[in-house]
Amino acid sequence: MQISRTASRVTAAVAVAGATVLAVSVPAFAHVSVQPEGTAAKGGYATVDFKVPNERDNASTTKVEVNLPAEHPLASVMPQPVPGWSVKVTKSKLDKPLTMHGEKIGEAVTKVTWTADGKGIQPGYFQKFPLSLGALPEDTDQLVFKAIQTYSNKEVVRWIEVPQEGQDEPENPAPTLALSAATDDHHGTAAAADDDAKGGDKDDAHQEAAAGSDGGTDTTARVLGVVGIVTGVAGVAYGVLAGRRRTA
């Protein structure tokens, strides 16, 4: 009888530990984020994906706005078509013109807005929004893109807080792109990025499940962590029970 009660306590402890780990882990991948397809080298070009998850259970994401950093204007910004979404590219005049391939450019893209033609990103799903960017600045280690997410119930979430080194992540962090060291062949990188942008019509699904390919690695790591905790607790419990049997 004593053994049965002890086993029940162990089972309850394992369940609580697992639930706690999962509860802490879920918010970690629920932010709007940006990642390069390959590398994002200083002075070169890159294709980056803005990953937008739906964080609500009762509303869909119907609009996504990404603001490009004004302090580091980019001469070339090209969106890739996303099925089920229309895209608007907003340009503004530059206080200081840029020089690209020997030509002066007096304006640059300051905002890209995607608007859903249908239901948008439904609960339990996320969507990627690709952009080809360049030339990337050489005088900074990162680019911060402030994003605004609008839901079908008119709720607006502003992902605009800039993460600070050495401090906890803010509640609504802005998507931040880390830049790698400059490469020797900027033009080759530019050509590759342009090819990616022009090959836009891919057979991607309109929406990708939140447990899909991109989230798979993160989810697997978290699951393995929970399994490790469960195994450790079970081992301790087994040792306790075995000791009591020998004493008995």
Side-chain angles (χ1 to χ4, degrees), residues 146-247:
K146 295 184 178 181
I148 299 176
Q149 182 177 13
T150 302
Y151 286 90
S152 56
N153 60 2
K154 307 304 180 184
E155 179 187 3
V156 176
V157 180
R158 302 178 184 277
W159 303 97
I160 61 174
E161 299 177 66
V162 181
Q164 301 295 328
E165 187 175 355
Q167 297 183 13
D168 292 339
E169 184 180 65
E171 183 177 354
N172 293 313
T176 302
L177 177 67
L179 303 181
S180 60
T183 60
D184 294 333
D185 186 9
H186 291 172
H187 294 290
T189 308
D194 288 343
D195 287 344
D196 286 343
K198 291 176 182 177
D201 288 331
K202 299 178 181 179
D203 294 329
D204 293 335
H206 170 44
Q207 295 176 330
E208 300 178 59
S213 59
D214 252 36
T217 302
D218 290 342
T219 302
T220 300
R222 289 180 173 84
V223 171
L224 290 176
V226 174
V227 171
I229 292 174
V230 171
T231 302
V233 174
V236 172
Y238 178 80
V240 172
L241 294 177
R244 292 189 176 185
R245 289 196 186 96
R246 287 195 296 271
T247 300

Side-chain angles (χ1 to χ4, degrees), residues 4-69:
S4 177
R5 285 198 296 270
T6 302
S8 298
R9 293 193 187 99
V10 170
T11 301
V14 170
V16 170
T20 301
V21 171
L22 290 177
V24 171
S25 300
V26 169
F29 54 88
H31 303 326
V32 174
S33 60
V34 59
Q35 290 293 332
E37 295 182 4
T39 60
K42 298 178 181 179
Y45 287 67
T47 297
V48 302
D49 295 324
F50 288 89
K51 182 179 177 181
V52 182
N54 191 326
E55 295 186 308
R56 302 294 178 263
D57 296 328
N58 57 354
S60 298
T61 295
T62 55
K63 186 166 72 171
V64 176
E65 302 173 51
V66 171
N67 293 276
L68 280 72

Side-chain angles (χ1 to χ4, degrees), residues 57-101:
D57 296 328
N58 57 354
S60 298
T61 295
T62 55
K63 186 166 72 171
V64 176
E65 302 173 51
V66 171
N67 293 276
L68 280 72
E71 65 275 18
H72 296 292
L74 301 170
S76 176
V77 177
M78 293 186 292
Q80 177 176 304
V82 178
W85 294 78
S86 58
V87 61
K88 178 183 178 182
V89 177
T90 302
K91 295 183 177 181
S92 299
K93 290 185 177 181
L94 298 174
D95 294 333
K96 183 179 179 181
L98 298 174
T99 300
M100 182 177 179
H101 303 307

